[in-house]
Amino acid sequence: MPELERPRLRAWTVRSRIVGILTLLSLLTVFSAGGVAYLWERTRVIEQIESNLDAALESAGFVVGQQRWTSAEQALAAIVQRLAPDDNTGTLGILDGRARWEPFATPSVALDELPGFVDRVVEETAGHEVVIGTYVHEGQSIRYIAAPVTVGESDPSLPPPAVFTTGYDVGAQLAELDVAARIFTLTAFGATALAFLIGLLVSDRLLRPIRRIREVAERSSAASLAERIPVGSGRDDVSQLAITVNGMLDRLGGALASQRELLRDVGHELKTPLTIVRGHLELVDEHDAADVVATRDLAIDELDRMARLVDDLRAAARLRDPGAFDLRVTDVAALLDAIAHKAKAIDGAVIDSRVEAVAVRARLDPDRVTQAMLQFVANAVRHAEGPITIGGRVRDEALELFVRDRGPGVPDELKAVIFERFKRGVAEGRGDDGSGLGLAIVQIIAEGHDGSTRVVDADGGSEFAIVLPTALAAAGAASDAPRTAQAQPAAAAASVPAPSVPEPPRPGAATHPRTDARPVAAEASQDGTARGARAPDRPEEQPWHRS
């Protein structure tokens, strides 16, 4: 399959996008906060101008009412001269329509020099009313207040002879705030640019494992999955991602290695029967009826063996599915009794009447455990003589379910690999036509329970066991006292669901029907529902397989 063309990386990478978006958000946040602060301060300055104008009017009224004045001119002079003007303000006394009095201190704003200002004030106060207004000329804005000054009785029909006015240069008053706003703007841009550069450097360091992940993924292929992503001492999310990807590569590498080993083993296993069939077909004497029949029987027998191999491979693959196990709390003693009862149906099996059971409850899949234990029994029937003992015990807080035989034992060099695919022992005069997957399937069942398998020498024979270290803890078992019980078919069949299917007979072999009184189809599960035998179209679901 041709390699897909990868799109070229853009300069605007994910890293620069993240940093750019965060920088833009930071810039918007800073200027939003600064804009709100600027508008609030501007409003406060304008309100302060209005407050100062009102205070100036009150001061002028206080001066007029402080003593008795002989004329409006005298009162106006006193008002103007006693007021201390603020920055960016101007005060003026208008007498008979002309600018006459100014404070002793030179005001910041010369109101009398503003074009048309005096005439405007005289016109607005002609009705003897206090006026507050805004004078604008060539970009300059003056907020002012003008009040007529009268002493004694005055003629309302005539303009007031004296007018007091004071005003603030709004632009100059806001200039200091505008300077602060410009400094804030420049500082914000500089700080944001610095944050952008620091963000690029930090993100480059943080996202470096992601680039390494991409580079390792580009170099990895089915031919080589040995390279891993260097993680270092980082404990952030990206480092955890690198650790996770390394774990995924480990699993993929293990799966590929297992797949190659499986293909190699299957090819080796199928090569022998194919060679046998081909050789006999090439040498068959078509004119000899007996030779033709013998060759046909041999070919059918070899094809049956290949079919059993395929069925066992499918069964092993099915056990790898996440939903292949139905773990539930089970009475271990009743389960062992049921397994012993079912084992009697295996051709040639001599089961010890005593079941070394253990009175505990464990969380496991009774169907799969039954399948594994019956495989142990079938293996013992083919490789050993004498009675076979089925039992269980608790050792080091782990549940152990075992099958013990009185055979010649397993050689030490074979114990380490006997649970691998296609590893066979030497049958004692009984032939060895199994698929070599039976004990491998038991290993998969044990792993599905987070357990393991082992084989040891015991009582002049071998003991095959499944070790389940977490089953008791999950079930909250309270007792580990062993007991010896007589196998009770009725009680066993009523408590543990472990349906079985007899092994398909080989060509030319005699069949051995089940002799116990209770049919398999009538056995009931632990939850009270009846369970029958497996459907004949699913041979991979058989409870045991020849090793």
Side-chain angles (χ1 to χ4, degrees), residues 323-538:
F325 293 87
D326 180 17
L327 304 181
R328 57 184 180 272
V329 178
T330 305
D331 186 341
V332 176
L335 175 63
L336 291 174
D337 289 344
I339 293 173
H341 175 60
K342 294 174 185 296
K344 294 180 180 180
I346 299 178
D347 182 21
V350 180
I351 306 300
D352 194 338
S353 60
R354 295 186 313 143
V355 177
E356 298 182 11
V358 57
V360 296
R361 296 174 66 83
R363 188 171 185 269
L364 47 81
D365 186 335
D367 290 342
R368 297 304 182 187
V369 170
T370 299
Q371 176 182 351
M373 294 291 285
L374 292 180
Q375 171 59 48
F376 282 159
V377 174
N379 194 70
V381 169
R382 298 178 60 250
H383 292 268
E385 298 286 352
I388 299 170
T389 302
I390 297 174
R393 58 176 169 260
V394 175
R395 178 184 294 174
D396 298 331
E397 299 184 356
L399 176 64
E400 296 183 1
L401 305 177
F402 61 86
V403 172
R404 187 184 306 124
D405 60 51
R406 273 72 171 177
V410 179
D412 292 338
E413 64 274 10
L414 190 59
K415 290 177 181 177
V417 297
I418 195 170
F419 290 99
E420 297 179 5
R421 285 191 303 262
F422 306 116
K423 299 297 182 180
R424 299 184 179 91
V426 178
E428 296 297 323
R430 295 170 179 261
D432 194 9
D433 59 350
S435 67
L437 288 171
L439 294 182
I441 291 176
V442 175
Q443 176 74 19
I444 297 174
I445 292 175
E447 292 174 352
H449 291 78
D450 295 328
S452 60
T453 55
R454 64 175 178 80
V455 57
V456 295
D457 297 331
D459 296 338
S462 299
E463 180 182 281
F464 289 79
I466 300 177
V467 182
L468 308 178
T470 62
L472 295 179
S479 172
D480 59 357
R483 71 179 181 89
T484 301
Q486 195 76 14
Q488 300 176 0
S495 60
V496 178
S500 62
V501 173
E503 180 186 6
R506 295 187 299 274
T511 60
H512 296 268
R514 181 168 177 159
T515 59
D516 56 88
R518 185 179 298 274
V520 175
E523 293 177 357
S525 68
Q526 198 169 13
D527 58 3
T529 59
R531 293 180 179 268
R534 301 286 184 182
D537 59 343
R538 297 175 63 183

Side-chain angles (χ1 to χ4, degrees), residues 138-189:
E138 295 181 355
Q140 187 178 20
S141 177
I142 305 296
R143 184 68 171 170
Y144 65 91
I145 186 171
V149 179
T150 58
V151 175
E153 297 294 334
S154 61
D155 187 358
S157 61
L158 298 176
V163 177
F164 160 75
T165 181
T166 183
Y168 278 81
D169 189 342
V170 178
Q173 195 74 4
L174 295 175
E176 297 180 0
L177 183 61
D178 293 338
V179 171
R182 285 192 292 270
I183 294 175
F184 172 82
T185 301
L186 294 176
T187 304
F189 275 115

Side-chain angles (χ1 to χ4, degrees), residues 5 16 31 82 88 90 135 181 188 191 221 271 285 316-317 322 373 384 390 393 409 423 429 444 450 462 473 528 539:
E5 182 180 359
S16 56
F31 275 98
R82 291 184 184 183
N88 305 317
Y135 171 86
S221 63
K271 182 178 181 180
D285 184 0
M373 294 291 285
I390 297 174
R393 58 176 169 260
K423 299 297 182 180
I444 297 174
D450 295 328
S462 299

Side-chain angles (χ1 to χ4, degrees), residues 14 40 59 106 114 125 136 152 172 174 176 181 197 217 238 246 259 286 339 341 343 366 412 429 439 468 509 512 516:
V14 173
W40 182 86
S59 297
T106 303
L114 298 176
T125 58
V136 180
L174 295 175
E176 297 180 0
L197 295 177
V238 179
N246 284 338
Q259 185 183 52
E286 60 184 9
I339 293 173
H341 175 60
D412 292 338
L439 294 182
L468 308 178
H512 296 268
D516 56 88

